[in-house]
Amino acid sequence: MDLARSVAAEAGRPEWVGEHLAPQIEDTRLITHYFTCLDPAYPGWNYAVTVVRASRAKKVTVNEVVLLPGEGAMVAPEWVPWKERLRPGDVGVGDLLPTEEDDDRLVPGYAQVPDNDLDEEGVDRQMVWELGLGRRQVLSETGREQAAERWYNGEAGPRSPIAAAAPAHCLTCGFMTPLAGELRQMFGVCTNEYAPDDGKVVSMDHGCGAHSEVRRPEARGEPVGPVVDEMGYDHIVFDDTAELELVSSDS
């Protein structure tokens, strides 16, 4: 035990080696001594010193000395692979995000055609691109489903507060440009620079106040009734009183 304590003090500091705990017999002539670690940086940890005496040997030698966590020790959280730790927005400027070869979001493209093998005339480049020609991989059905679910349930879907207060859906908006492929059935890209979703993918049943059919309200003039002044009067002077005399003589 004295040898084990001296080795623990050598690995740390003498004042860090505390109470001797119950030893553990590992095998024949092989035992591990435990000492409470008093290092402020390792609360709850213990020094573990394993000593051994070889067969027919007279002296005990040290096998190893380590720090082991005890009850209530502060330990690092369980290691999680980077792929599971990654969150949206973690990739910044200059960062590289490798794609696994078995990524189920991608499937091989139909072909990989060099540009010089394509006839410049009569080539529908939009169709070639959508079919995946020239790209080694394209989006799989799983990838499309995951993207559609993520977009539809997010701020670009129909359940966001701005969509609930919108006067109409993006489906009828002139600033909505549909996506290519199967995703065009549900999603498009907003192209209104004044809209909050400009340049972002939105669902067809999303909406905002910048819809193309929103018009400025027309000013409507309300009919005004006649105003009758019952309190005042007008003083009228007639230059020609012939008509007044004629009326009075007839009466």
Side-chain angles (χ1 to χ4, degrees), residues 76-91:
E78 184 179 355
W79 183 81
V80 179
W82 67 267
K83 188 176 181 181
E84 300 178 16
R85 298 196 307 267
L86 194 65
R87 293 294 179 267
D90 287 349
V91 180

Side-chain angles (χ1 to χ4, degrees), residues 46-182:
N46 301 315
Y47 286 103
V49 183
T50 302
V51 294
V52 61
R53 182 177 65 82
S55 178
R56 299 181 182 180
K58 295 182 179 181
K59 293 184 178 182
V60 175
T61 58
V62 177
N63 193 332
E64 64 177 354
V65 53
V66 294
L67 267 175
L68 295 178
E71 184 178 355
M74 297 180 60
V75 296
E78 184 179 355
W79 183 81
V80 179
W82 67 267
K83 188 176 181 181
E84 300 178 16
R85 298 196 307 267
L86 194 65
R87 293 294 179 267
D90 287 349
V91 180
V93 178
D95 295 337
L96 299 178
L97 179 60
T99 301
E100 301 293 340
E101 290 295 333
D102 59 348
D103 194 327
D104 57 358
R105 298 172 301 172
L106 299 170
V107 293
Y110 289 100
Q112 199 167 0
V113 183
D115 292 337
N116 55 7
D117 290 348
L118 293 175
D119 186 3
E120 293 294 336
E121 298 181 0
V123 175
D124 188 345
R125 293 191 174 276
Q126 178 70 19
M127 181 60 66
V128 167
W129 179 258
E130 291 191 12
L131 289 177
L133 300 179
R135 290 183 290 164
R136 192 174 71 88
Q137 292 178 309
V138 294
L139 199 62
S140 66
E141 182 178 357
T142 300
R144 288 193 298 270
E145 291 178 353
Q146 292 179 359
E149 182 177 358
R150 186 171 61 251
W151 295 343
Y152 198 79
N153 294 330
E155 291 298 321
R159 302 183 183 92
S160 61
I162 192 172
H169 292 159
C170 295
L171 176 64
T172 58
C173 182
F175 294 108
M176 196 277 297
T177 301
L179 296 180
E182 295 184 7

